[in-house]
Amino acid sequence: ALFCGDRLSHYMINVRVNCHIRQFKINIKYICKEKGIKIGKLCKSLGKERTYIAHLVNPNLTTVIDIANAIGCSPSELLTGL
């Protein structure tokens, strides 16, 4: 077996987390597109580099709220499907 015990659990958790982060980024892009906001402008309004959203790895609650406020949507909209 390639994975066993804790290693398999750790792998499965990482896969699940990566899927959630991917969905979170898809939600950001979709809502921005609906509102006519470019991702680069969103990042700039957050005071970040334009690749910030693409490189987002582990967003905390504050990050979710900051992004939602910058887009003009609720945090729950960004978390749809997670």
Side-chain angles (χ1 to χ4, degrees):
L2 189 60
F3 295 103
C4 59
D6 289 339
R7 290 175 65 190
L8 178 58
S9 297
H10 183 71
Y11 173 77
M12 294 305 292
I13 289 169
N14 282 340
V15 168
R16 192 171 300 127
V17 167
N18 287 339
C19 289
H20 290 314
I21 293 169
R22 185 177 306 120
Q23 183 62 50
F24 178 65
K25 290 177 184 181
I26 289 169
N27 292 347
I28 291 170
K29 291 175 183 178
Y30 178 78
I31 294 168
C32 282
K33 187 174 182 178
E34 276 188 332
K35 293 181 174 268
I37 300 169
K38 302 269 188 199
I39 296 294
K41 293 231 179 211
L42 170 64
C43 294
K44 188 174 182 178
S45 73
L46 292 166
K48 308 288 185 181
E49 303 230 355
R50 62 183 282 275
T51 58
Y52 173 70
I53 300 296
H55 294 134
L56 204 56
V57 176
N58 191 16
N60 60 30
L61 184 57
T62 304
T63 303
V64 173
I65 292 170
D66 289 345
I67 293 171
N69 288 338
I71 295 173
C73 69
S74 69
S76 64
E77 286 180 82
L78 292 179
L79 301 175
T80 300
L82 302 182

